[in-house]
Amino acid sequence: MSLRFSIAALLLLPLFAHGTVRPHQEMRDIFYGEILYHAYQHDYFEAISHLDIELGQYYALDEPDLDSLHWHRGQAEFAVGDLELYYRMHQRAGRAIEAVLGKNVAESERNEAAFRLARLYYRKQDYVNALHAIELIKGEVPEKIRSDEAFMRAQIYVSVGKFNDAITILKELKGDETYRGYIEYNLAMAYLQTAQTELAVAMLDELGKLDSDEEAVLALKDKGNLKLANYYVDAGNAEQAAKYFSRIRLDGPFSNKALLGAGWVAVAQQRYDRALVPWSLLHEREQTNISVQEAMMAVPFAYSKLNVHGKAAIMYGKAMDVFASEIDSLDASIKSIREGKFLTALVSKQAEQDENWVVNLRKLPDSPETRYIMELMAAHDFQESLKNYKDLADLRQHLTLWLDGLAVYEDIIELRRQYYEPLLPQVEKKFKKLDSRIRLRIEQRDRLNERIQSLLVLRRPVYLATANERADIDRLAKIKVALEANPSLATEETLYRMERLSGVLDWRIESEFDDRLTTAYKNLKDLDGVIDDLNKQYRAFVRTRQAATQSYEGYTIPIQQLRTRLRDTQVKLKGIMARQGRVLEQMAINELDKRRKRLEEYQIKARFALAESYDRATKEQEKKLLEQSAITPETTVTTKAETADTEASATAATTTANAGEGATP
Amino acid sequence: MHSHAHKIFRQFLCIVFAALLSFVANADEVSREQIKGLDEQVQDIKKDVLNLSSELAMLEEKLLFPSNTQVSLFVSMHKGDDFRLDSVQLKLGEKVVAQHLYSFRELEALQSGGVQRLYLGNIKTGEHELVISYSGKAPAGGEYKRSGSYRVTKDVGPKFVEIKIAGPESTEQDIQFRDW
C-alpha cells in the first residue's frame, strides 16, 4: 500500500472544530432565547422557522433599533447562516453569510463572516470559492476563531494544492491543544504531497507517540501508526512494520486491520507460527468484518505452511460454512432492501431514540444486516443522503399535521361564526345607543371646560353662582320689574331691602369666586377621570367587537391558499423522497453486492485450498503409514502434534464429504 | 448473401446487448451528480416548507392567540447551573396550565441559555396569580423542590413573563420573574 494518499485523506478535521450557535451573552430578547432553546436541542427546523419570523418582523419595523432583537441582531444574522448550515441548507446559508459580508460591518465581524463562508464552501467541496472566501480575511482575526481560521486555511491550501503554504501554517499551529493530533496528521500528509517522505515519517512517528486520553486523538494515533506500518510493508521493512502495527490498540477502530497486517508481516518473515498469534485473535472477532473474513482464510493458510494440513482443511471448511451463511445473510439483506424495509427502518422511531441506531437497525424485524454497510453508512455521501431522507420524512410529517391543523382551524372559525353572527347585530344596536349618550356627555364636559377656561381669562363670577343664588337673583329682578310697573308699592324700606339683598348676593358671588373656580376646576378633573374610564371601556368594547369579527372573518382565502401550497409541496416532497430513498437503497445494495462478490471469491479460494489441504493431509498420512509399516511397532513414537493432525485430517475428510465439495485443484 | 446479412444482424444484436448491459451497469451506480442534484432539490423543498411553517405559525397565533388575550410563560435557568431539573408545573389563577418533564437534551438547552416557552394561552385583562413549582436533583444528591408566585397583570397587548429558576447551589435567587 502506498503512502501517497488522495487529497481527501488530508481533509481530516475534528468534529468539535465545527462552528456552533454561540452560547448566550446577556439575554435581551426572550424570543431569541427561545430560538436558542430549539437550536441547542438540534431542532434546527423549529429554530430557523422562529428566527425567520423574528427577523422578518424586526426588519418590517419602522424603528427596528427600538426592538429588543436589536441587541442580538448581529448574532441572529450569523445564527441564520449557522442554523441553515446545520440543517444542510448550504445555498441559503451561503447567502445569509454573504449578506453579512455585504454590509458595512466591523473588521472582526467581517472576518468572522468570511471564515464561515470559507468553511461552508469547504464543506461543499468547492475549494476554489473556499480559498476566495478565506482570502477575504484581512487584518486581525477575532481571538475566538483564530486557530479555527488557521486550520481551515491550511486545509483549503491543501485542497487547492498549495501544500507548502499549508505546511507553514500547520507548523505555526503546532502545539495548539484544540487540534492536537490533527495538525500532526495533516502535516505528515502535506509532507508526503511535497515528496518530503522523511519528514512525513517522522511526523507520523511523533503522532503515534502522543500522550492523550481523548478517544478521537487515540484513534488518530492508531491511524498514523497504521499508515506508517503500511508504508514499511510497502518498503519491504517487515521489522519496522511490525513495530508500528504493535503500537495500535487492540480495542481501537483500526485494530482488525492492525492484527491482519501484523500477521502478514510475520508471513513475510516466514514466521507462520507467529502470524497465527494475531490472526487467531482476529479470527474470533465479528465475522462480518472484512479483515476477520480475510483472517478466516489466512489462519488455515498459516497452518498449511506449518504442514498442519488437517487443521488447515478443517478451518477452510469452517470458513466456507461461514461464507455460505454470510452470503445467505447478504442475499436476505438485499431482498429486504428491495422490499423497502431498509428505508422504513431508517426513519423508524426506534432508530431516532437510540444513538447506536445504525448498529441496532438489524434488530428491527426484516431489516438488513447493517454490519456490512457500516463503512458505507459512515461515508459522507451516504450520510448526507441519509440525513436528507430523514429530514424529508420529518417534513412529510409536518405537512400532514399542518393539513390536518387547517381543517381544525376551519372548524373553529365556523363555530365562532355561528356564535357571533346572530349576537353581533343586537350588540351593535345597543352599542349605537350607548355611543350617542357617551358622545353627548363628552360634549357637555367639553362645554364646561371651555367655560372654565374663559373664566380664567375674563372674570365673570355670576357664572359660578349657585342654583339658589341664581333663583334669588331672578326673584330680585322680578320684584324690581313689578315695582317699576307699580311705583306705589316701591317704598323706601322696600327699595333699601332690595338693595341690601342684591348687595349681599353680589358680595357672596364676588368674594367666593376664586374658591368656586378652584372647586369647579377640581370637579372638572374628577369628571375627566370618569370620562377616561369611560373611554377605556369604550375602546375595550371596540377592540372586543373587532376581535370577535376578526376571529372568523378574513381567513377563508389565506387558508385555502395555504392548503393548496401544502398539497403541492406534499406532492413535490413525495417525488424527491422517493428518489432520495432509491439512491440510498442503491448505495446499500451496491455495497452489499460488493461484499457478496468478495465472499464468493473467498469461497472459491477456500474450496481449492480445502481440497489441496485434504490432499496433502491424506498423502502425509499415507506416507506415515508406509514409514510405520517399514519400522517395528515397538520403535514407533508419535508426537502429540502428529496425532492431532491425523485426527484433524480425518475430520477434514468428513467435513469435505458433508459439504459435498469433491473438487480437485 | 443471406448468411452475411444474418452475421451482420447478429453483430448488431451483440452491440445492442453490450450497450444495454453497460446501461444497466451504469443505472445501478449512484453518481455524485445525482447526489448533488437531489441535495439541491431537498434544499429547495426545505426552503418552501420553512416558508410555509412561518406563515402557518403567524396564522395560528392570529387565530388562536390574539394579542389582546395572549399570554406566554417562559422558563429559563442561570447559565452554568448544574441543577438537574426534572419537572415544572405552572398554575395560572388556580388552574394548572402546563406541566413538563425534562429530557437531558432539553435540560442542556436550558443550562446553555435557551429559553423554553412552556405555555402559550389566552387570559382576560386584569390580574392573575401565577404559581410555579419545580423539582429536580441537587448536584450533591437529594431531591430539591421549590415554588413561588407572581401577580401577572394582563393589559391590552400580549403578555410575556419569564420565570428564571435556580438550583440549590446557585448564588442567585431561587425564582425570578420578569415581565418582557
Side-chain angles (χ1 to χ4, degrees), chain B residues 35-119:
Chain B
I35 293 171
K36 204 178 162 195
L38 260 173
D39 187 58
E40 279 169 11
Q41 288 179 42
V42 173
Q43 290 190 49
D44 283 345
I45 204 149
K46 279 180 177 174
K47 193 179 78 184
D48 292 348
V49 178
L50 275 166
N51 287 343
L52 280 165
S53 169
S54 302
E55 283 181 43
L56 277 160
M58 286 192 281
L59 173 80
E60 186 187 66
E61 190 173 316
K62 193 178 160 195
L63 185 66
L64 304 181
F65 311 104
S67 60
N68 58 333
T69 55
Q70 190 191 114
V71 61
S72 290
L73 304 175
F74 296 88
V75 172
S76 66
M77 287 177 78
H78 295 280
K79 193 187 171 187
D81 190 343
D82 53 358
F83 166 54
R84 169 66 257 187
L85 177 69
D86 283 335
S87 67
V88 168
Q89 187 192 68
L90 297 178
K91 276 165 87 177
L92 199 55
E94 294 301 312
K95 189 182 165 196
V96 175
V97 290
Q99 274 177 316
H100 193 77
L101 292 175
Y102 286 86
S103 68
F104 182 68
R105 256 192 184 178
E106 287 170 331
L107 180 63
E108 260 193 346
L110 283 181
Q111 288 168 336
S112 308
V115 182
Q116 180 195 18
R117 193 196 300 232
L118 192 52
Y119 177 68

Side-chain angles (χ1 to χ4, degrees), chain A residues 620-646:
Chain A
E620 202 131 312
Q621 205 177 5
E622 282 169 2
K623 197 178 152 192
K624 278 176 194 162
L625 284 172
L626 281 171
E627 282 168 5
Q628 274 177 350
S629 61
I631 305 164
T632 54
E634 288 82 4
T635 54
T636 309
V637 178
T638 312
T639 64
K640 206 174 177 181
E642 281 168 341
T643 314
D645 195 31
T646 313

Side-chain angles (χ1 to χ4, degrees), chain A residues 23-24 27-31 33-34 36-37 40-42 45 48-49 52-53 57 87-92 125 380-381 385 388 391-392 395 399 402 406 409 412-413 416 543 547 551 555 559 562 565-566 569 572-573 576 579-580 583 586-587 590, chain B residues 27-30 32 34-35 38-60 62-64 66 68 74 77 79 100 102-103 105-117 156 160 162 178 180:
Chain A
H24 67 155
M27 188 56 64
R28 300 179 86 160
D29 183 279
I30 193 83
F31 302 103
E34 194 190 2
L36 290 182
Y37 180 71
Y40 291 148
Q41 290 181 74
H42 305 175
F45 180 85
I48 298 171
S49 177
D52 277 351
I53 296 173
Q57 287 176 347
Y87 196 47
R88 291 173 298 288
M89 294 178 72
H90 303 100
Q91 294 166 336
R92 250 175 63 142
Q125 299 176 353
H380 178 263
D381 282 347
S385 300
N388 277 347
D391 286 346
L392 289 171
L395 295 184
L399 291 174
W402 291 340
L406 286 185
Y409 294 163
I412 293 172
I413 290 164
R416 286 180 181 170
R543 269 195 305 274
S551 68
Y555 291 104
I559 287 179
L562 277 168
R565 281 172 60 199
L566 283 170
T569 313
K572 199 172 149 191
L573 185 134
I576 297 171
R579 286 197 288 281
Q580 187 71 75
V583 163
Q586 198 54 55
M587 283 164 119
N590 288 350
Chain B
D28 283 352
E29 288 301 317
V30 178
R32 279 215 121 229
Q34 200 180 346
I35 293 171
L38 260 173
D39 187 58
E40 279 169 11
Q41 288 179 42
V42 173
Q43 290 190 49
D44 283 345
I45 204 149
K46 279 180 177 174
K47 193 179 78 184
D48 292 348
V49 178
L50 275 166
N51 287 343
L52 280 165
S53 169
S54 302
E55 283 181 43
L56 277 160
M58 286 192 281
L59 173 80
E60 186 187 66
K62 193 178 160 195
L63 185 66
L64 304 181
N68 58 333
F74 296 88
M77 287 177 78
K79 193 187 171 187
H100 193 77
Y102 286 86
S103 68
R105 256 192 184 178
E106 287 170 331
L107 180 63
E108 260 193 346
L110 283 181
Q111 288 168 336
S112 308
V115 182
Q116 180 195 18
R117 193 196 300 232
V156 179
F160 307 114
E162 181 189 3
R178 178 177 174 185
W180 282 86

Side-chain angles (χ1 to χ4, degrees), chain A residues 145-348:
Chain A
I145 58 158
R146 205 165 288 163
S147 55
D148 295 342
E149 187 270 337
F151 193 71
M152 176 54 61
R153 191 182 282 271
Q155 285 182 303
I156 293 168
Y157 284 163
V158 164
S159 305
V160 294
K162 294 171 84 175
F163 299 112
N164 287 325
D165 292 339
I167 289 170
T168 311
I169 295 171
L170 289 168
K171 274 160 90 176
E172 279 173 18
L173 259 179
K174 233 169 147 280
D176 186 298
E177 279 300 308
T178 320
Y179 291 101
R180 193 161 174 251
Y182 296 89
I183 295 168
E184 286 80 1
Y185 187 87
N186 286 304
L187 197 49
M189 298 301 114
Y191 279 139
L192 281 175
Q193 292 294 333
T194 47
Q196 301 181 71
T197 314
E198 277 182 24
L199 286 172
V201 168
M203 193 48 65
L204 283 174
D205 185 61
E206 189 185 324
L207 168 67
K209 287 188 281 194
L210 277 184
D211 184 26
S212 174
D213 295 330
E214 278 178 45
E215 189 48 45
V217 178
L218 290 173
L220 213 49
K221 270 177 71 176
D222 287 346
K223 195 176 168 77
N225 283 321
L226 187 65
K227 299 280 177 207
L228 263 183
N230 285 330
Y231 167 74
Y232 282 116
V233 167
D234 288 346
N237 189 342
E239 205 174 311
Q240 281 287 63
K243 177 184 146 189
Y244 288 107
F245 275 131
S246 69
R247 274 192 190 174
I248 298 166
R249 292 173 303 155
L250 280 177
D251 55 352
F254 299 98
S255 67
N256 289 350
K257 283 182 181 167
L259 288 170
L260 189 67
W264 285 120
V265 165
V267 167
Q269 292 169 317
Q270 297 194 325
R271 299 169 77 174
Y272 301 106
D273 53 337
R274 289 194 70 172
L276 277 171
V277 178
W279 281 350
S280 300
L281 206 65
L282 186 58
H283 192 269
E284 301 308 314
R285 293 191 171 187
E286 173 53 50
Q287 59 194 26
T288 52
N289 184 276
I290 203 159
S291 300
V292 177
Q293 287 173 353
E294 195 176 327
M296 284 179 182
M297 294 290 285
V299 173
F301 165 77
Y303 275 120
S304 70
K305 286 288 179 188
L306 290 167
N307 290 325
V308 191
H309 297 295
K311 180 136 187 156
I314 293 172
M315 297 199 81
Y316 277 128
K318 279 186 184 165
M320 280 170 60
D321 289 345
V322 169
F323 296 154
S325 132
E326 289 303 315
I327 286 172
D328 286 347
S329 163
L330 283 167
D331 284 341
S333 295
I334 291 171
K335 185 170 170 269
S336 145
I337 292 171
R338 290 211 164 108
E339 285 168 355
K341 285 165 185 158
F342 180 53
L343 294 180
T344 313
L346 287 181
V347 293
S348 71

